[in-house]
Amino acid sequence: MRTLIYNLRQKIKAKTKNKKIFAEAYAAFKKTGTTSPEGYTALLDLYCSTNGKFNEQAHKEIIADNPPKKINGPLTGVPGTIDQKEFENLNTTLNKNGYVGFTKKADPELVSKIYNYALKATALTAPKYDKKIVYDPQNPVSEIYRFEQNDLVNNPDIQQLIMDPVFINVARNYLGCEPIFDFPAMWWSTTFLKEASGEAAQLYHFDLDRIKWLKIFIYLNDVTADNGPHRLIKGSHLPGAKQQKLLDRGYVRIPDADLVGHYKTEDLVVILGEAGAMFAEDTKCWHKGTPLKTGHRLVLEFEYTSSMFGANYPKFVIENGSEAFKTFCANNKIYASNFKFKN
Ligand SMILES: [Fe+2]
């Protein structure tokens, strides 16, 4: 009993200390745009010790001075034309389940343009990510080929998707503020390794680069049960929904055996989809990629956030910005705050 009370006191002390560190780090971040390592560690600790409740509270305070634009009428983008009612439905599902699929698929021509780019462009390979090579489907030499984010933002088709008004509005509704475009990511997953790879995020984990964020995923080839479908645990993004004893392990990857028995089978979601299938997810959900039995998988992912507090990344340098992209960034300063134009 005494030990229990002692442990509880220690936990409360640690929480109070972390809240103070976070508040100081956030105040400094507002002035400098940079997050101190202690501030980021405090955020990770607070997420785990409060089972996500801290993030929700901090997010509410952050967005108070960044209200969302009022959007009236339907918007047209890669997922088709979406009216206000449908946006509301998407947001309700997203809030409840932690993910939502778009009914329409992305235009096949756009998908094949990006797919063909990925077959020609160089990408970084595990484990060191220090060599850029072109993926050879006949001879994979790594379980993952990660494209450099700065290369992605200079691709005109990806710039087009970054400007997509439907994606932006889904993020706006979910975050309840004007979103910031955080980063793009695109990678090949291959059959190079036969077991689950931590490197390729094939063990359950949650992301925590930021206080609150939303990701949009686009499958760029057909994804079946055999070539690495994305998996997630429905509803596990909600505050209080994770097992505290797993969060007490910290910000780490969790073997299936420790996790899946806790949830209903119907909540263990596997996302299959043809090339062009798209979904939005709050990756606070437990999620992972499935190890591949055959073939490969190419995914494009965007992250939208309410604040850049958290992991520090350099700004993206746009060398090949289309006129439309330049104008768009000039007109959407918050959203485009991570882009720097070279010319
Ligand atoms: Fe992840």
Side-chain angles (χ1 to χ4, degrees):
M1 190 65 178
R2 250 188 209 174
T3 330
L4 261 179
I5 293 170
Y6 175 78
N7 287 345
L8 199 63
R9 276 204 186 128
Q10 291 302 104
K11 277 187 179 173
I12 294 168
K13 253 191 190 170
K15 234 182 254 182
T16 313
K17 192 176 160 209
N18 277 327
K19 282 184 181 169
K20 190 166 171 273
I21 296 172
F22 173 85
E24 285 167 5
Y26 200 83
F29 164 81
K30 277 178 95 170
K31 286 184 200 148
T32 63
T34 305
T35 306
S36 66
E38 314 81 75
Y40 186 31
T41 305
L43 174 67
L44 296 173
D45 288 349
L46 284 162
Y47 177 83
C48 293
S49 65
T50 66
N51 210 324
K53 295 180 188 92
F54 177 79
N55 289 51
E56 290 305 308
Q57 188 52 44
H59 171 73
K60 263 188 209 152
E61 288 166 26
I62 284 163
I63 62 169
D65 57 0
N66 177 19
K69 274 184 205 160
K70 285 263 178 294
I71 305 294
N72 298 309
L75 294 174
T76 300
V78 173
T81 298
I82 311 252
D83 63 17
Q84 287 311 303
K85 183 78 198 133
E86 202 176 339
F87 274 122
E88 276 167 34
N89 292 340
L90 289 168
N91 199 40
T92 304
T93 308
L94 200 44
N95 273 289
K96 182 168 168 253
N97 296 340
Y99 77 104
V100 68
F102 292 99
T103 326
K104 267 191 94 173
K105 291 201 295 272
D107 171 33
E109 201 182 313
L110 177 70
V111 171
S112 78
K113 266 160 93 181
I114 302 175
Y115 186 88
N116 289 329
Y117 164 83
L119 283 173
K120 285 187 210 117
T122 53
L124 299 162
T125 48
K128 288 190 182 158
Y129 301 101
D130 55 353
K131 262 193 307 201
K132 276 175 103 173
I133 55 173
V134 176
Y135 169 54
D136 175 0
Q138 306 311 319
N139 182 31
V141 296
S142 167
E143 68 272 33
I144 184 165
Y145 290 69
R146 237 182 237 165
F147 292 91
E148 283 215 84
Q149 294 175 322
N150 212 78
D151 292 345
L152 297 175
V153 297
N154 278 287
N155 176 301
D157 298 309
I158 292 173
Q159 285 176 8
Q160 194 61 40
L161 287 168
I162 293 172
M163 295 188 278
D164 191 281
V166 171
F167 291 157
I168 297 172
N169 203 43
V170 169
R172 176 184 287 124
N173 291 339
Y174 187 67
L175 299 171
C177 66
E178 274 310 294
I180 302 166
F181 184 83
D182 194 341
F183 63 77
M186 185 166 82
W187 68 100
W188 291 104
S189 307
T190 79
T191 51
F192 182 69
L193 276 192
K194 296 296 166 219
E195 73 273 16
S197 156
E199 272 303 327
Q202 290 167 343
L203 291 172
Y204 275 113
H205 64 282
F206 53 89
D207 300 338
L208 202 75
D209 277 359
R210 305 280 169 242
I211 295 165
K212 188 165 174 122
W213 66 94
L214 181 72
K215 283 187 172 178
I216 289 201
F217 294 82
I218 307 179
Y219 283 165
L220 295 164
N221 63 327
D222 294 347
V223 178
T224 68
D226 292 337
N227 66 328
H230 184 84
R231 289 172 186 264
L232 65 100
I233 299 184
K234 193 170 160 181
S236 60
H237 65 302
L238 292 168
K242 292 189 176 74
Q243 294 144 279
Q244 191 56 48
K245 65 171 194 236
L246 294 183
L247 289 177
D248 287 344
R249 293 184 194 177
Y251 190 35
V252 295
R253 296 179 191 267
I254 309 284
D256 280 19
D258 297 354
L259 192 66
V260 294
H262 183 73
Y263 297 95
K264 289 186 260 168
T265 319
E266 62 262 36
D267 289 342
L268 306 177
V269 177
V270 187
I271 302 187
L272 310 179
E274 290 174 3
M278 299 176 283
F279 58 96
E281 181 185 344
D282 179 339
T283 53
K284 283 202 297 295
C285 279
W286 292 117
H287 67 278
K288 63 172 189 167
T290 314
L292 288 81
K293 289 188 198 134
T294 177
H296 52 225
R297 187 192 75 170
L298 180 68
V299 173
L300 175 65
E301 168 196 283
F302 287 166
E303 180 162 298
Y304 306 81
T305 187
S306 54
S307 164
M308 292 302 291
F309 184 91
N312 291 313
Y313 299 125
K315 286 191 190 297
F316 302 116
V317 181
I318 309 291
E319 292 177 53
N320 302 310
S322 68
E323 279 313 307
F325 190 61
K326 281 183 198 163
T327 310
F328 171 86
C329 291
N331 291 337
N332 295 276
K333 292 233 157 57
I334 295 177
Y335 183 74
S337 53
N338 283 318
F339 298 124
K340 266 195 330 202
F341 284 83
K342 207 165 180 192
N343 306 309

